[in-house]
Amino acid sequence: MLKKKLLLLPLLLWMAAQAQAHQIWIEQDVQGARLYLGEFGENLRETSPGMLDKFVQPSATLLTAKGDIPAALSKRANAFDIDGRAISGESLIAQENAYPGWERKQGDKVERHVWIPAARWISDFVARPARLTLDLVPTGKPGQFQAFYKQQALPEAKVQVFTASGWGREFVADKSGLLQLSLPWKGRYVLELKHTDKQGGERNGQAWDVGQFVTTLGFSLSQGLEPLPALPPAKPSP
């Protein structure tokens, strides 16, 4: 049994490294909404068969003024189709809450790590309350957003801004979790927020010691500079 665990350890650590390097994000257009796993700024979309199959319990919800509406997901070759569409004032959110965890030895202690990715899509910049454990929402002011963790403002949070061309910038929030972002291009954006919690917690009834959260906020702008060409598709993981 010990030998088997030792043989599995490199695979688990590789999976952990791949997870930490990735994000999930939502795209919505006239054809509908989809949930992707990969790297938006590198035009990398993981596939099935492949790393997309590590997602065993993704969920999506349409947040409306009348209440929350669960949105069914159906997996295809490089995404999950979302049975829902966010109109003005609404949001689509998604989260994967069962990605395989891993263990890492720190001295005499074995730490249990989990990676919990989430995503939000908005069609406008009306102010919205935080709903995801780690969340990034517009404040209603042009170019301004606020970062939250467990519904509390997250001070000095770092946010990466990406476009499909590979253009990117990093911004740092103030002590109230507020960010003023420069969004010069027309087209689709994905904003990425990361946070590591070493206080411990619980996921699906199992305790963890270190939680690595990553959340994206996706939207599209109709005004601005003409977008640069998109990058060629990157090769998915095996």
Side-chain angles (χ1 to χ4, degrees):
M1 181 62 72
L2 178 59
K3 183 178 180 180
K4 184 178 180 181
K5 286 185 176 181
L6 291 175
L7 290 173
L8 284 173
L9 183 59
L11 175 61
L12 292 174
L13 292 178
W14 178 85
M15 287 171 54
Q18 290 294 102
Q20 293 172 58
H22 277 6
Q23 60 194 201
I24 64 174
W25 73 93
I26 297 171
E27 295 183 13
Q28 179 178 289
D29 52 31
V30 293
Q31 274 123 23
R34 297 161 301 281
L35 175 67
Y36 293 96
L37 166 67
E39 288 291 328
F40 175 78
E42 298 175 13
N43 200 7
L44 169 60
R45 289 163 170 80
E46 298 292 2
T47 59
S48 174
M51 195 171 178
L52 191 63
D53 296 324
K54 297 297 180 184
F55 272 32
V56 296
Q57 196 178 313
S59 62
T61 306
L62 177 62
L63 307 181
T64 77
K66 296 181 180 180
D68 299 352
I69 303 173
L73 295 172
S74 54
K75 185 163 64 175
R76 55 186 177 90
N78 71 343
F80 288 88
D81 287 330
I82 303 175
D83 185 16
R85 183 179 177 83
I87 61 173
S88 179
E90 299 179 346
S91 293
L92 270 173
I93 61 171
Q95 183 166 295
E96 164 58 44
N97 207 36
Y99 193 90
W102 64 96
E103 293 181 348
R104 184 169 291 168
K105 192 169 183 181
Q106 298 289 343
D108 295 330
K109 182 183 177 183
V110 176
E111 290 182 342
R112 175 74 176 173
H113 290 241
V114 292
W115 179 65
I116 302 177
R120 180 190 284 264
W121 169 269
I122 55 175
S123 297
D124 57 40
F125 299 99
V126 173
R128 294 161 167 82
R131 285 289 305 274
L132 296 163
T133 304
L134 180 66
D135 215 345
L136 185 64
V137 293
T139 66
K141 297 181 179 180
Q144 190 180 75
F145 301 83
Q146 191 167 19
F148 290 89
Y149 181 60
K150 295 182 177 179
Q151 281 68 57
Q152 300 296 315
L154 186 61
E156 300 176 351
K158 293 181 180 179
V159 170
Q160 299 277 348
V161 178
F162 299 102
T163 68
S165 70
W167 179 89
R169 293 290 186 275
E170 181 178 87
F171 296 85
V172 180
D174 64 16
K175 293 183 179 180
S176 300
L178 290 168
L179 303 107
Q180 190 67 40
L181 305 186
S182 173
L183 306 169
W185 311 98
K186 283 197 287 189
R188 191 171 288 131
Y189 285 83
V190 167
L191 281 49
E192 180 187 74
L193 171 64
K194 292 182 177 180
H195 180 66
T196 299
D197 186 341
K198 298 182 179 180
Q199 301 302 309
E202 188 175 282
R203 182 187 69 164
N204 298 333
Q206 295 186 333
W208 52 261
D209 301 298
V210 179
Q212 299 179 10
F213 295 82
V214 56
T215 291
T216 62
L217 175 64
F219 53 84
S220 187
L221 295 182
S222 59
Q223 296 183 338
L225 300 173
E226 287 300 319
L228 298 171
L231 294 175
K235 184 179 180 180
S237 304

